[in-house]
Amino acid sequence: MTNLMIGRYLPGDSLVHRMDPRSKIVLVFYFICIVFLADNGLSYLVLGLFTLLAVLLTKIKLIYFWRGIRPAIVLILFTVMIQVFFTRGGQIFWSWGPFALSTAGLLNAWFIFLRLVIIICMSTLLTLTTSPLDISSALSSLMTPLKWVHFPVDIIALMLSIALRFVPTLMDETVRIMNAQRARGVDFGSGNLIQQIKAVVPILIPLFVSAIQHAEDLDDAMTARGYRTDAPRTTYRIIQWHTRDTLSFGVFIVLTVIILFVRTA
Amino acid sequence: MYNERKRGNDVEEPIITIDHLTVKYAEQQHPALDDISLTVPAHSWTAIIGHNGSGKSTMIKALTGLVTADAGTMTVAGMPVDEAHIWDIRRKMGVVFQNPENQFVGSTVADDVAFGLENAQIPRDKMIPRVQNALAQVGMTDFATREPAHLSGGQKQRVAIAGIVALAPDIIALDEATSMLDPEGRVAVLQTIRNLKAQQDLTILAVTHDLEEAAAADNVIVIDNGHLVASGTPPEIFARGEKLIDMGLAVPFTEQLKTDLSNAGVPLPAHYLTEEEMAEQIWKLYSTM
Ligand SMILES: Nc1ncnc2c1ncn2[C@@H]1O[C@H](COP(=O)(O)OP(=O)(O)OP(=O)(O)O)[C@@H](O)[C@H]1O
Ligand SMILES: [Mg+2]
């Protein structure tokens, strides 16, 4: 049950695993922007090879990346179909009303397909190699400049990490409550929509009660250990920037230059 | 037992005083604590015993300002428990709460132990050895990077204790802090706390349902239904065996044995006997028969 939410992270010690989570997040976003620069076969080839290289560097089996793509397959196919049938240009093989099958349409669809697969692979790579904990610390660290506009960065960061920390606890409790309700004869996952929704209510209420109980106790425990929102704190957990992170930024700059060079426009 | 040195000097400054304390939760008919007055001598080990719902946890929460007193006054480490002193008091008195799940704040074991240190604004380079040391004390060094979801209840209790130990307070309040440990684990953790107490001259306030543990304390406080029923040394308390049984508390094995032997007409001293003392008494009796 716990694996549902956070099981996407696969611990390891590849180069990618050991990168600073902040640089991974920033670079993945940056990469997604670069992908939109590609506009011809060669630029997609470069990006595709780059993604493949990155994927291989993680030393994670390809099947896990496929699992990342699988949930999006419907979306991908739908987008590709639209591109195929609604783009006209070049040689037209077939047409009927607004629909057409043309070389331009096929090429466009192929590019869109590549673009989506590349983007999904890269974001999957981020979540596969970075623990949720590291992602949350990285996000808080990246939010630091917001302190200048008096955004409560530290409080949000603590909230985020406590929320993450309680996900498994509440998941376990959900299972326990569901089992207790089953023992009382509640049938989950059958009946019509209304019946299913009705079956969920007796799970949600005890779950809320228990979450509030956790929160109250946690409040006491945190206060007793001297936590106050109005006082500064020092930090134990730090994320470390290494030479490999600086180098990765270099690699991405080189990639950008190559893409700018090979693209048509 | 761990306090031979202290027991000799009869007058110890009380480190905690509670004077006519009454606490009533909103929406509750009866006060959770009703007119409690007591003192806890510095450097002592004081056990608090009583039924479920008798108000033990409430008392500890009142001392650290987590619930407000409806009447009465308290002092901790020479400071009155009030708005102005509460944060200083919280630095002097660490509390290990009853439910280890709900006091695990950090995302990993080490992060959690560091939480109190972060609040106390200890610089990071000083935190690292303190976290390591505290984890070593409770035997959790190998688990430093574990997430709480992958720990047992007993392991979480050890982490909670480490989190307080790292803060090096003068007083440690343990609210059934070893209830989820297996017998060996409990003995080991209690021994650790005893050693710490000896090294750092701590005062320990331990809520427990384990009468063996209470019997080993310097003082025992018995609370029932919000009232202070008895307070004294373990021999004094356990000498009132019947009364404790009435209140539904189990009496330690040696006491049970003594009562049974007395009923069977075997003469034994009236005061509380440790296991060794009991063995000695029986051995004496046996050899004179
Ligand atoms: N937050 C609260 N709100 C309302 N009533 C409470 C609250 N916490 C405790 N009580 C009530 O106050 C009384 C004393 O509770 P307390 O938790 O202090 O008992 P305890 O001696 O620690 O029991 P246990 O051995 O079960 O831990 C109980 O009747 C309890 O129901
Ligand atoms: Mg309690």
Side-chain angles (χ1 to χ4, degrees), chain B residues 27-28 66 95 98 106 144-145 159 170 225 227 230 238 240 265:
Chain B
E27 299 129 29
Q28 295 277 341
L66 298 172
V95 184
Q98 211 165 343
T145 57
V159 176
D170 294 344
N225 211 356
H227 299 278
F238 295 127
R240 300 155 69 171

Side-chain angles (χ1 to χ4, degrees), chain A residues 160-169, chain B residues 100-102 104-107 148:
Chain A
L160 202 63
S161 90
I162 290 177
L164 269 178
R165 174 246 165 286
F166 271 94
V167 166
T169 309
Chain B
E101 184 68 45
N102 292 353
F104 206 115
V105 188
S107 19

Side-chain angles (χ1 to χ4, degrees), chain B residues 25-26 28 32 50-58 98 176 209:
Chain B
Y25 289 104
Q28 295 277 341
H51 284 218
N52 291 130
S54 57
K56 308 179 296 292
S57 299
T58 304
Q98 211 165 343
E176 296 174 45
H209 286 290

